[in-house]
Amino acid sequence: MTLPPPPDALEACVVVPARDEEALVGACIAALAAQRDVERDAVEVILVLDRCTDATATRAREAALAGGVRLHVVDAPADGVGHARRHGMDLACARLFAAGRPHGLIATTDADSEPDPDWLRMQLDAVAAGARAIGGRVELGAAERAALPPAVVARRGAEARARLARVRADAPAGVPAEHHQFSGASLALTAATYAAIGGLEPREALEDEGLERLLRRHGVAVHRLGAVRVTTSGRLGGRARRGLAVDLRRSWWQAERTYAAAAFPLERLLAAKRATVSVVLPTRDVADTIGGVLDALAPLRRAGLIDEILVVDAASRDGTAALAAGRGVRVADESSLLPAYGPALGKGDAMWRGVAATTGEVVAFLDTDTEDFTPAFVLGLLGPLLCEPAVAFVKGAFRRPLRVGDVVVPDGGGRVTELVARPYLNLHVPELAPFVQPLAGEVAARRELLESLPFPVGYGVEIALLIDALRAVGLEGLAQVDLGTRQNRHQPLRDLTAMALAVLAAAERRVHGEAAVAAAAPGPLLVPEDGELRLRSVVVDERPPLRALTPAASAPRDRPAAARRA
Amino acid sequence: MTGTRRLVIVGGGPTGLSAARGYRDAGGGGDVTLLTPERDLPYQRPPLSKEYLRGHAGEEELPLESPGWYAEHGIAVRLGTEATALDPGARVVTAGGVPVPFDVCVLATGAQPAPLPVPGGDDPRVLHLRSLASARTLRERAGAAHRAIVIGAGFIGCEAAASLAMRGVAVTLVAQEDVPHAPRLGDPAGRRIQAWLEEHGVSLVLGAAVEAIEDGARVRAGGRELEADLVLVAGGVRPCAGLAEAAGVRCADGRVVVDEHMHSSHPGILAAGDVARAFNAAAGRHLAVEHWGEALAMGEVAGRTAAGDRGAAWAQAPGFWSTIGERTLKYAAWGDGFDTARLEEDGNGFTVWYGRGGACVGVLAHERDEDYERGRELVERGAPMP
């Protein structure tokens, strides 16, 4: 595709990537046609079609004709908004050079955004004053803003202020930092600068973040100007706006699905309770703490909040089972449940068998190695499930003070969380980033969901349930409850290696498929020790969804119940 | 924004995906949620009994769309989520324990393999082939197997038997009929398919009803006792209409009755694919079809209907391609019976013409694409037998 030669007067090329935006692109082009104080011949718009299947091009041409702005429509060379924007900016750069204007402006916005009337003038003036890269301000349209819950608006405001503080701290002297943004919806740079940095990196999306890194490497400062402004329709779940959409969803979730245990006093839960509740306690040598946990649960059971308690014991040798039985609680040896599956292979296996051996419509799991257990742990976990029908899965969150000698470090602890789970989730499942303790054993969920999920037999169970629950019911079906402060047993670093491997194997299976862990199965961990390789076994097997224990998925539902009685 | 605001699709097979795509293609701008009990994004099923089972295709070749496609098209996929209740009045589906409200719901729940109704037929060690998960298990077991028994001589049975044989497994195909495929395709075609299977070294035990399966490894059939390392039952499927039936949506013969636009008896509830008994506008009657192409076609009609496209209707003649070993059959037919089957043959391929009351109701072609194309057209027009 060949474009006509650029006009001599060309000062600015505006690049607009578009993916099926027939409803909005007209307003975008009209806004570009209505730019004030710039010569008509000085501006042209390059619309880059990213696999459009609708009338985007037609709508854009109509708007360009009506508004009197020069428009070129080209196809993107590869899938994704990043490739589309890069292609357009490459073309714009070549045209500005061909017109003899290396300091001309390559500006870009999105097809669902409308630039203010002074958008180009302000940026041309900034370039005349020495700016080489400009970040404009991106605001949500009034309708979109009104649709957001007030708490989300407030949170976004707070996040914006925090980012602005960082941007200001980083900005060199004399470079304006009037807001925190630098996004594809409004960014611009001179043709010479674009050529100097070697163009945009070929990325599929989030190409604007890539660009900022690239500029920083080349010592180009981004001028963030408040008066350079576009209005965007940041729809929740919007199309190519992955970054903003995930950001908005997370913000909504933090506002709507994060609770404090104090919000759920016993009376409130008893009034709201419509489902039966089972509490499953996997135990292994916790004679020191199990008594306290059971004593805290007893009043909740008497009050009718908890219908069933089951201790699933891993053949403890310290009398844990006898202690629990002595308090009148049902205790089962983990391997005696679903015996067809052989001896239980770990904590996840115990939880899976615990679900099979109980009947409550809501099931809560609690770690039993907690010294400072309070009834609020259970009240908090059950609260969202009993009070909000749209929630299917609740994860406990707490602060874990880590004792180092006599010093208590406030937010330490959870080394596998901080060094494995959190970075992994941020990389691959960013929607789960707001979970404070993704590996916490304090979990409650609806039975219907739990019976449809596979359970890794070992320490991979927590991250697996979290990722699978997200996939099964969406972020809006997940909740997090702040349970306060707690202390768990801390394990030696060497033991954590095996735990981390189990967590990684379970997560990899979900994110990158079975093949990603095939090499690890059945999970030997090789550790160099004293000059030789020692093998430690890590079992990464998974138990099938309890619902799938029937031979065919269509078989009558009474099978799992029969298995439960076994 | 046009059409439905909240579209919920129950089922992650080809029908469900096609409904989502059809809805967006027709300009549907609402929220789309696709619920699937499977743990995999929608994938291609046809290779599972062929290239995938033979080990010639990997899992990376199976997805129908990349994960990014769903994000870009605003389609929220819920994996591992079985819909357990449908309330047509309140317009809510319950899935994974939570209510999912909708304005329009497309039931695309498909069908499940029917366990063989004999002692041991429901043993978990007896394999079926339908989902990717079941194909993984079959492929894994086949990798370690020397001998396999395949029960059933329909498409899946014949394809899987040939594929297993090509892997070097000694395969015995057990079927109740005297000639494979005969009930659907007639004797002449069946005999040719039988010859292909024998060429691949598949032993055939025909006219033998299975009496029992022991330990998922020994099969008693027609007075004989056969033993193998794996037993695969390909005994047909039954539609998953339980959700609709329990909700009071009109069903017949275990399928949801829908018109050519995929509307069910209830406003806001559509059904398509294997679970539907849909009115075919060209045939002028309701048809139950379990083919891949029809799943896609009906799904698209349902999606377009949900987006407000009143012109979307199902009118094509159903058909499928089946590859047995390296030979491909192409078939287009209403599929609900014939009284005449006439074979034409030349050196390379053959064609079977199916007639009912003098009209052409189907065509089956091997290496004769022009007959297949012409036949499809004759069937759709209701033309006389050629």
Side-chain angles (χ1 to χ4, degrees), chain A residues 19 446 448 468 471-472 551, chain B residues 39 73 78-79 81 84 122:
Chain A
R19 166 98 178 99
R446 297 190 193 280
E448 196 172 310
D468 288 345
R471 290 178 174 180
Chain B
R39 316 187 56 74
H73 289 78
R78 297 196 176 170
L79 296 174
T81 307
T84 48
D122 61 354

Side-chain angles (χ1 to χ4, degrees), chain A residues 258-294:
Chain A
T258 304
Y259 305 86
F264 303 109
L266 178 60
E267 305 71 47
R268 181 180 174 199
L269 295 193
L270 288 174
K273 188 178 178 223
R274 304 275 179 282
T276 51
V277 173
S278 300
V279 172
V280 174
L281 306 167
T283 57
R284 177 194 293 271
D285 297 335
V286 287
D288 292 348
T289 46
I290 185 69
V293 172
L294 292 174

Side-chain angles (χ1 to χ4, degrees), chain B residues 69-88:
Chain B
W69 183 88
Y70 298 91
E72 265 174 40
H73 289 78
I75 294 159
V77 182
R78 297 196 176 170
L79 296 174
T81 307
E82 191 151 327
T84 48
L86 168 66
D87 183 337

